[in-house]
């Protein structure tokens, strides 16, 4: 096949795999960052391969969209009239999702992609890095909130199961 067809096919395949990974794991309530299988043994070679840099930029754009969506959805998820147990569960699931994203951001594949994009002066990297830093902070916040709310889990559970007449 001609080189342009190979590059286009590879780009479309990565886009498909990213979307498939996203949809499959969304159904499970998890956010998984798709890491393309690219040959990045030599960072210098990877930076010079403009088609690869474009594919990696597309990946980072997809990650950025995924993470922004998670943050947006989680900021809107808890209602003002939520019960204490619903609030605790909200922070539990938020902690799990944000911690999962946070740990994925530390994976070698993600780091290598960021290195290649940094070396190629990609304009998409800085916004992604800011968002990644925000995820780290939100993950710590969610973890702290859950830690303190878990202290209330048992009393709130007893209250929710009690008959109103039995509550002093």
């Amino acid at each position: 096949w001609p080189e342009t067809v190979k590059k286009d096919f590879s780009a479309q395949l990565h886009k498909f795999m990213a979307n498939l990974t996203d949809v499959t794991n969304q159904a499970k309530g998890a956010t998984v960052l798709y890491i393309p299988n690219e040959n990045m043994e030599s960072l210098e070679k990877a930076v010079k391969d403009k088609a690869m840099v474009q594919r990696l930029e597309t990946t980072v754009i997809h990650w950025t969209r995924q993470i922004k969506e998670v943050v947006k959805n989680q900021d809107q998820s808890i209602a003002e009239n939520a019960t204490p147990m619903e609030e605790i569960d909200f922070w539990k699931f938020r902690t799990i999702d944000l911690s999962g994203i946070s740990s994925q951001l530390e994976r070698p594949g993600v780091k290598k992609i960021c290195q290649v994009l940094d070396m190629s002066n990609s304009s998409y990297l800085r916004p992604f890095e800011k968002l990644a830093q925000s995820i780290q902070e939100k993950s710590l916040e969610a973890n702290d909130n859950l830690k303190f709310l878990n202290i209330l889990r048992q009393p709130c559970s007893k209250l929710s199961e009690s008959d109103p007449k039995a509550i002093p």
Side-chain angles (χ1 to χ4, degrees), residues 80-123:
E80 281 189 37
N81 58 352
T83 67
M85 293 304 291
E86 289 171 338
E87 182 82 17
I88 292 168
D89 286 341
F90 167 80
W91 285 104
K92 175 184 172 189
F93 292 118
R94 182 173 175 119
T95 299
I96 290 168
D97 204 15
L98 292 176
S99 296
I101 294 170
S102 185
S103 67
Q104 289 177 72
L105 291 170
E106 298 301 319
R107 287 187 177 162
V110 172
K111 296 281 189 195
K112 196 162 257 195
I113 288 171
C114 290
Q115 282 180 304
V116 170
L117 294 181
D118 185 41
M119 292 171 68
S120 65
N121 296 317
S122 172
S123 61

Side-chain angles (χ1 to χ4, degrees), residues 21-97:
T21 302
D22 195 16
V23 170
T24 302
N25 288 289
Q26 249 180 3
K28 298 175 191 173
T31 303
V32 176
L33 305 178
Y34 168 73
I35 300 174
N37 187 14
E38 293 280 3
N39 182 6
M40 293 183 284
E41 294 297 320
S42 166
L43 294 178
E44 291 75 23
K45 277 186 181 178
V47 169
K48 290 177 184 173
D49 184 346
K50 297 302 177 196
M52 180 187 296
V53 170
Q54 283 182 325
R55 289 191 303 271
L56 297 179
E57 285 177 331
T58 301
T59 300
V60 167
I61 291 167
H62 184 80
W63 292 345
T64 301
R65 184 196 54 77
Q66 277 183 290
I67 294 170
K68 281 182 177 179
E69 195 172 309
V70 166
V71 171
K72 183 184 92 176
N73 289 344
Q74 289 186 338
D75 286 344
Q76 298 172 355
S77 290
I78 193 74
E80 281 189 37
N81 58 352
T83 67
M85 293 304 291
E86 289 171 338
E87 182 82 17
I88 292 168
D89 286 341
F90 167 80
W91 285 104
K92 175 184 172 189
F93 292 118
R94 182 173 175 119
T95 299
I96 290 168
D97 204 15

Side-chain angles (χ1 to χ4, degrees), residues 98 102 130 132-143:
L98 292 176
S102 185
K130 282 183 181 179
Q133 180 61 38
S134 171
I135 286 296
Q136 304 290 357
E137 292 165 6
K138 288 181 181 291
S139 178
L140 290 173
E141 174 193 24
N143 200 29

